[in-house]
Amino acid sequence: MDSSFPDFLNLEERYTPIEKGVRKAARAFVQKEIEPIIADAFLKGEFPTSIIPKVASLGFLGPTLPKKYGGMDLGDIAYGLMLQELEAGDSGIRSFVSVQGALCMYPIFRYGSEEQRMRWLPQMAKGELIGCFGLTEPDAGSDPGGMSTTAKPTEKGWEISGRKMWITNGTLADLAVVWAKHSETDEVLGFVLEKGMEGFSAPEMEGKLSLRASVTSELVMDKVQVPDANRLPTAQGLGAPLSCLTQARFGIAWGTLGLAIDCYREALQYTKEREQFGRPIAGFQLTQAKLVQLLCDITGAQGMLYHMGKAKEAGTLTHQQVSMAKRVCCELGIRAAREARSMLGGSGILADFHCQRHSMNMESVITYEGTHEVHTLILGREITGLNAFS
Ligand code: TGC
Ligand code: FAD
């Protein structure tokens, strides 16, 4: 499939050589390593672990972190373009990379001590240690402040008990960043739990009809003894995990833009080749209206993300702006996948094509990292000054 997309905003002239280079490397990786295997992995419900060393060797794990910790010191637009290409391949691949970088390496970098950073980050960048992020619980999803996992101080450190669910990479992970409430003060604290700690297990969740090429797990913690050396010392309060979500949501917005572009390209190619009533279905006005609506919405999202990327690089991007990006791009992704599927007719439901897999994946992506409704209410609070959550 042609990998180009119309550049109505002339963004190509704004992207730097580094940004274009990262995008090119990610696109080549997806074409060579993901496209040939992804339909099968999705149907089997397996995350293709064989790609981990390749993703790592390209520097895609924690790429915005300083080189000292194994990162590439990459800017936020280059990072976004990388995720755009990865999610055009599959949301499960982008999820793996997002969780490792934005939800496990980032909290260790931001809230960890220098010793903790050096202990874990370089190996995580090499893909030798895999991480996950445990915030959601069976009874605390949209409202993580309602978590019941506790961290009780002991003589040597902490005793952690509770259960997390829906945790991407959980069963694969060597390290889990786990959020728990101090048993006495109720303050939210962050810990790094390691595979093999007594009382800690991560069974895989079965039966997903979405994000099938991704590992999703429970984290079960039964009086796990965690040394104080594994507590992230500056993570204090709910704002700490929420700040990690801001990093990941920014990446998801770029990723779902890539997914929408992939759906557009697939629909354009198919409708130009497929003939009914003696001519290509792309020639029908209703088909053109669908393609043009996607073109307009994708172009608008590209402009928004470019400016947000610049703001993030300048350090001025707010978490409310990121909520807008996540909300707009997820809504775009889900609509693009459904519209593309409609343009492919019956063929659209086959795994040989991308759009139905993307559509099923989008049901997870529009739910995790804050549902569509949660982002609506974050923005509602911003413009009205009234808090709908409490
Ligand atoms: P609220 O009072 O709004 O906030 C508490 C403190 O946190 C600050 N804050 C943020 N800081 C940085 N980034 C953000 N996004 C922030 N949102 C809030 C806030 O300023 C405040 O600070 P302070 O100093 O005043 O105390 O807290 P609330 O309890 O009212 O919650 C609000 C709400 C609903 C927006 C929040 O709980 C929320 O975002 N809920 C959604 C939960 C969610 O997104 N979970 C995601 C789990 S991880 C995941 O899904 C990974 S999927 C990964 C993959 O596979 O790709
Ligand atoms: P609920 O919070 O129970 O929401 C159910 C419905 O109620 C939604 O429509 C929601 O929008 C609505 N709702 C809730 N509150 C309000 C309100 N105040 N006003 C209006 N509507 C409301 N979590 C992690 O911690 N780490 C991970 O790695 C991770 N990976 C995930 C991977 C997958 C595949 C999935 C599906 C989820 C993952 N999650 C992860 C969990 C994800 O973040 C939660 O599913 C999400 O935050 C929603 O929580 P919930 O599923 O409990 O839904």
Side-chain angles (χ1 to χ4, degrees):
M1 187 162 49
D2 180 4
S3 62
S4 62
F5 182 79
D7 184 24
F8 268 72
L9 297 178
N10 297 328
L11 287 170
E12 283 305 313
E13 62 195 41
R14 291 178 183 249
Y15 294 138
T16 64
I18 289 180
E19 288 160 356
K20 287 183 186 170
V22 169
R23 182 180 59 182
K24 189 174 170 194
R27 186 174 292 171
F29 166 75
V30 166
Q31 286 170 347
K32 184 161 175 252
E33 308 287 349
I34 303 300
E35 286 183 357
I37 60 157
I38 195 63
D40 194 44
F42 186 91
L43 290 171
K44 286 185 178 145
E46 287 172 2
F47 173 73
T49 48
S50 61
I51 66 158
I52 296 174
K54 294 168 194 161
V55 178
S57 70
L58 286 163
F60 290 170
L61 302 178
T64 56
L65 295 186
K67 292 186 177 152
K68 179 181 174 189
Y69 304 116
M72 293 201 295
D73 245 333
L74 217 56
D76 293 291
I77 292 179
Y79 174 65
L81 289 169
M82 174 194 101
L83 294 178
Q84 178 181 299
E85 297 305 320
L86 295 183
E87 193 141 6
D90 191 79
S91 302
I93 308 299
R94 198 271 308 137
S95 266
F96 172 81
V97 169
S98 287
V99 169
Q100 178 82 350
L103 290 181
C104 200
M105 295 174 77
Y106 175 79
I108 293 171
F109 170 70
R110 167 111 185 242
Y111 297 107
S113 63
E114 187 58 18
E115 194 193 338
Q116 290 171 330
R117 292 173 181 172
M118 294 313 292
R119 180 172 160 201
W120 290 309
L121 295 179
Q123 275 180 279
M124 294 187 78
K126 288 186 196 144
E128 294 165 2
L129 287 178
I130 302 304
C132 68
F133 178 89
L135 180 64
T136 305
E137 299 186 354
D139 297 324
S142 295
D143 179 19
M147 72 176 73
S148 50
T149 297
T150 53
K152 188 169 132 192
T154 63
E155 260 179 39
K156 291 185 187 155
W158 301 84
E159 179 179 285
I160 300 193
S161 294
R163 212 170 126 223
K164 302 286 177 182
M165 78 183 288
W166 298 114
I167 308 305
T168 301
N169 296 352
T171 313
L172 279 180
D174 304 287
L175 305 175
V177 169
V178 167
W179 303 95
K181 277 188 181 167
H182 191 297
S183 60
E184 288 154 19
T185 66
D186 258 9
E187 184 174 45
V188 173
L189 301 173
F191 298 87
V192 179
L193 269 59
E194 296 175 76
K195 196 178 208 160
M197 283 180 164
E198 206 176 325
F200 178 42
S201 60
E204 187 162 358
M205 293 172 66
E206 305 286 346
K208 283 182 299 166
L209 299 176
S210 169
L211 219 71
R212 287 183 55 73
S214 171
V215 172
T216 312
S217 316
E218 287 181 60
L219 302 182
V220 181
M221 293 153 291
D222 181 13
K223 296 186 179 168
V224 185
Q225 303 301 312
V226 179
D228 197 50
N230 284 38
R231 182 175 65 86
L232 299 174
T234 63
Q236 287 165 329
L238 187 60
L242 294 180
S243 73
C244 305
L245 299 185
T246 300
Q247 304 301 311
R249 289 168 179 172
F250 173 80
I252 288 173
W254 282 88
T256 49
L257 171 65
L259 177 152
I261 291 173
D262 194 57
C263 292
Y264 167 91
R265 287 193 296 238
E266 183 167 68
L268 181 66
Q269 177 172 325
Y270 185 88
T271 57
K272 282 166 79 175
E273 288 169 4
R274 170 82 174 162
E275 293 193 1
Q276 287 294 288
F277 301 97
R279 57 191 168 117
I281 57 176
F284 296 125
Q285 291 168 347
L286 291 178
T287 307
Q288 289 190 2
K290 289 178 185 176
L291 289 168
V292 168
Q293 191 61 50
L294 290 183
L295 168 71
C296 294
D297 294 348
I298 290 169
T299 301
Q302 283 181 314
M304 178 180 71
L305 291 188
Y306 181 79
H307 282 286
M308 288 198 186
K310 283 283 175 207
K312 192 163 191 313
E313 288 176 351
T316 59
L317 190 68
T318 66
H319 71 77
Q320 292 86 354
Q321 288 171 315
V322 174
S323 278
M324 179 182 283
K326 201 266 180 185
R327 186 182 183 280
V328 166
C329 293
C330 283
E331 197 277 329
L332 168 61
I334 212 161
R335 194 156 37 78
R338 288 174 182 164
E339 287 287 45
R341 210 292 307 149
S342 81
M343 288 184 263
L344 268 68
S347 301
I349 71 160
L350 294 173
D352 295 347
F353 293 94
H354 305 175
C355 52
Q356 181 63 24
R357 176 169 46 81
H358 284 324
S359 183
M360 290 160 81
N361 284 340
M362 276 308 309
E363 295 296 337
S364 288
V365 181
I366 203 166
T367 299
Y368 64 38
E369 296 279 1
T371 64
H372 190 73
E373 293 78 10
V374 161
H375 291 294
T376 303
L377 298 179
I378 290 171
L379 292 167
R381 177 166 69 181
E382 181 67 6
I383 58 174
T384 65
L386 300 169
N387 187 355
F389 297 114
S390 58

